[in-house]
């Protein structure tokens, strides 16, 4: 099987990146992580890229030419698929057009509910009975592309933000790899 050369974009802890790296070491998993891009040079997740000797680069979105720099690096590493794993920046329309249907994102809610930031605080305020995560395609609208997979759990009355996050991320570590397998199952 030819594995898709994939770039993972991160901003922070990178636990989803760590999980994807570990999954991709399996010869039957459809992607290989060939590049990690962070907008934040202090992102903890960069340590996983370094540990597994995956090329990694920090491209700050404050840099006027950041979009070109991202595109140049994707080209340099022959990237054909992109996973956003806790990348807290908007992806430019130019990149979306160039990688039409080839960029996916993981979001810690049952989209279309609770797009954007502060998901868990919003859920608690709303007294949500169900929570979960969504892996979806990225299009020009924030958290707006078609869903690939959702995983759901029932909330408890004593769930606080931390508890919701912990339970959601546990599901994310299953949802992200499953979504990738689903996308490439007929290739
Ligand atoms: C994940 O829970 C992901 O769903 C969320 O950031 C976290 C990153 O964790 N993404 C978003 O909120 C995107 N809007 P990680 O850095 O440990 O993988």
């Amino acid at each position: 099987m030819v594995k898709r050369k994939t770039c993972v974009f991160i901003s922070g802890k990178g636990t989803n990146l760590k999980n994807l790296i570990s999954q991709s070491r399996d010869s039957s998993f459809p992607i290989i992580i060939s590049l990690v891009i962070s907008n934040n040079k202090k992102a903890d997740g960069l340590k996983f890229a370094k540990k597994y000797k995956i090329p990694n680069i920090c491209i700050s979105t404050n840099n006027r030419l950041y979009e070109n720099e991202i595109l140049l690096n994707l080209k340099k590493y022959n990237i054909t698929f992109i996973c956003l794993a806790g990348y807290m920046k908007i992806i430019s329309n130019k990149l979306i057009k160039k990688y039409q249907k080839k960029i996916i994102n993981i979001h810690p809610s049952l989209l279309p509910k609770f797009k954007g930031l502060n998901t868990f605080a919003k859920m608690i305020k709303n007294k949500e009975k169900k929570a979960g995560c969504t892996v979806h395609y990225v299009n020009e609208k924030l958290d707006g592309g078609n869903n690939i997979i959702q995983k759901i759990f029932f909330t408890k009355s004593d769930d606080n933000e931390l508890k919701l996050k912990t339970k959601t991320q546990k599901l994310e570590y299953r949802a992200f790899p499953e979504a990738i397998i689903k996308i490439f199952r007929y290739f």
Side-chain angles (χ1 to χ4, degrees), residues 12-17 85-88 105-108 116 143 169 172:
K13 278 205 165 317
T15 60
N16 278 286
L17 166 67
Y87 185 65
M88 304 313 254
N105 177 46
I106 189 148
H107 186 77
D143 299 325
Q169 289 205 322
E172 289 185 346

Side-chain angles (χ1 to χ4, degrees), residues 74-139:
L74 295 176
K75 193 165 174 208
K76 178 173 168 194
Y77 290 95
N78 298 313
I79 300 300
T80 59
F81 190 65
I82 294 173
C83 295
L84 307 182
Y87 185 65
M88 304 313 254
K89 294 285 171 187
I90 304 279
I91 294 291
S92 73
N93 285 349
K94 196 168 165 186
L95 180 55
I96 291 172
K97 277 217 177 74
K98 195 136 191 149
Y99 282 83
Q100 199 67 234
K101 279 260 180 194
K102 296 196 170 62
I103 310 178
I104 65 171
N105 177 46
I106 189 148
H107 186 77
S109 79
L110 299 172
L111 290 174
K113 281 191 154 184
F114 309 112
K115 298 178 178 185
L117 301 175
N118 305 318
T119 322
F120 303 119
K122 290 181 202 161
M123 276 183 209
I124 288 170
K125 197 167 168 218
N126 241 34
K127 297 192 169 52
E128 285 297 306
K129 298 255 182 301
K130 283 193 279 182
C133 65
T134 307
V135 182
H136 65 95
Y137 286 104
V138 173
N139 67 9

Side-chain angles (χ1 to χ4, degrees), residues 151-164:
K151 292 219 179 272
I152 300 174
F153 67 92
F154 289 94
T155 57
K156 295 196 171 137
S157 53
D158 67 341
D159 276 343
N160 54 26
E161 286 187 43
L162 184 62
K163 283 184 184 173
L164 285 179

